[in-house]
Amino acid sequence: MNGIPSLFRQPLTIALLLIAVLLVLGEQLSPGFASMQQILRLLIVAALLGIVAAGQNLVILGGREGIDLSVGGIISLSAIIAGNLMNGADAGIPLAIAGCIAAGAFFGLLNGLGVTLLRIPPLVMTLGMLGVLQGLLVVIRNGIPSGRAAPILSQFVTQPVLFGLPGIIWLWIAVGLLMAFLLRRTVFGQRIYAIGSNEHAAIMAGVPAARIRILLFVLSGVFAAIAGICLLGYSGSSFANVGEQYMLPSIIAVVFGGTSLSGGKGGYTGTMAGAVMLVVLQSILTTINIEESGRQMIFGATLLVLMLFYGRGRAMRT
């Protein structure tokens, strides 16, 4: 490893190189895979994943084995809420956005309170919340599609709005800039790294760790809700469990992007590259006719490998 330049040992660099390799491989398997039109479609899907991963990134950075498994349920619930409130009418967009963000924040708040006040491990708390949300989805619509996206929302997600790029890509860029500013230029961001690196020392220094951790879960719920709204615009209609496909990839994108599972180390730029890499990989798996179950197995195995790798890194830090 010492003979490899430090630049090529950075997670961001590795992710970008893998993206380039995967695009070349995809072009060989299916001519036109690396065309600009196809890359644009891949970026739209990556933006959906990247927005979810922004909240996941914050929770993981906060340490204490932080992870949010409920994001898939929040995405599905938000898509259904937005679809019902819009029902194909542009006039319903403001109410739909407000309702979805409120729902995401509420369930994120419940996660945060369970983790901080009841001392429930994040993995257990958010997995339980996912079960609650899945049950709620069944009660609401019993898995039957309902509601439609407003035309403006669909255009925002899928059609060019500025310099040939769809609005969702510009939204993702805005999320990236917001995350960079939040993590690197604010006291709140410094406190996230502090509690993620050493929560006890942070508390001794006067950092309100409990309040910050609750807010991290709230933000994770909000980002998942925003992704649910955009997913509705992408698909045109909503149905139960539409967000489940984003749970594992949102974690993998964060970890592959260089954020330590033990918290306190990492950022969002690598997560963005990780999201693009995963979407390109998923597209290649689809091209070679790997079914959804097979793709989930591959993503699960990838997460296990990353957890083993970063677990070793955590032990070395300790």
Side-chain angles (χ1 to χ4, degrees):
M1 290 291 291
N2 292 333
I4 302 176
S6 59
L7 175 65
F8 293 98
R9 296 200 299 265
Q10 297 298 319
L12 175 60
T13 305
I14 295 173
L16 293 175
L17 289 174
L18 278 176
I19 291 170
V21 171
L22 289 173
L23 286 174
V24 172
L25 175 61
E27 182 66 25
Q28 294 299 314
L29 294 172
S30 176
F33 183 89
S35 66
M36 288 303 300
Q37 186 176 6
Q38 174 65 10
I39 290 175
L40 194 59
R41 283 196 292 265
L42 292 174
L43 286 177
I44 292 174
V45 179
L48 292 168
L49 173 58
I51 292 171
V52 184
Q56 195 76 259
N57 206 155
L58 291 173
V59 171
I60 293 175
L61 275 176
R64 199 195 284 180
E65 308 298 335
I67 199 169
D68 190 350
L69 297 179
S70 68
V71 292
I74 294 175
I75 291 171
S76 298
L77 180 64
S78 298
I80 288 179
I81 291 174
N84 287 330
L85 291 177
M86 292 180 194
N87 201 23
D90 293 336
I93 291 179
L95 181 60
I97 292 175
C100 291
I101 290 178
F106 173 73
F107 287 105
L109 177 62
L110 292 181
N111 282 331
L113 291 175
V115 169
T116 56
L117 299 185
L118 301 180
R119 309 294 293 182
I120 301 174
L123 183 67
V124 177
M125 181 66 209
T126 58
L127 182 60
M129 186 59 66
L130 175 61
V132 171
L133 288 164
Q134 288 174 334
L136 183 59
L137 290 170
V138 173
V139 171
I140 293 174
R141 288 295 173 183
N142 198 27
I144 300 174
S146 61
R148 294 179 294 112
I152 289 182
L153 177 63
S154 296
Q155 293 172 12
F156 175 82
V157 174
T158 61
Q159 301 300 319
V161 297
L162 184 64
F163 299 123
L165 297 179
I168 190 172
I169 295 179
W170 289 109
L171 176 62
W172 191 25
I173 292 172
V175 169
L177 294 174
L178 174 64
M179 288 285 289
F181 176 78
L182 180 71
L183 293 174
R184 302 298 181 182
R185 301 293 182 182
T186 67
V187 173
F188 178 67
Q190 294 172 4
R191 289 177 170 179
I192 294 173
Y193 284 107
I195 66 172
S197 298
N198 191 323
E199 183 174 351
H200 179 70
I203 293 174
M204 295 295 291
V207 176
R211 282 186 292 175
I212 290 174
R213 180 158 284 108
I214 290 173
L215 184 54
L216 294 181
F217 279 100
V218 170
L219 289 173
S220 180
V222 169
F223 278 118
I226 294 172
I229 298 170
C230 294
L231 184 58
L232 172 69
Y234 181 73
S235 62
S237 61
S238 60
F239 54 92
N241 301 326
V242 67
E244 285 188 357
Q245 60 184 315
Y246 291 94
M247 184 180 69
L248 276 180
S250 71
I251 301 169
I252 297 172
V254 172
V255 179
F256 194 87
T259 297
S260 171
L261 278 171
S262 59
K265 180 183 178 182
Y268 185 62
T269 305
T271 298
M272 296 177 77
V276 175
M277 186 274 295
L278 280 179
V279 168
V280 175
L281 174 60
Q282 186 175 34
S283 183
I284 289 178
L285 294 177
T286 302
T287 299
I288 59 178
N289 297 319
I290 300 294
E291 296 182 356
E292 176 64 23
S293 58
R295 296 198 296 269
Q296 291 299 320
M297 289 175 63
I298 292 173
F299 286 152
T302 302
L303 180 59
L304 286 174
V305 171
L306 289 172
M307 290 180 73
L308 288 172
F309 177 79
Y310 282 105
R312 181 185 176 195
R314 179 191 177 193
M316 293 175 65
R317 286 175 60 197
T318 303

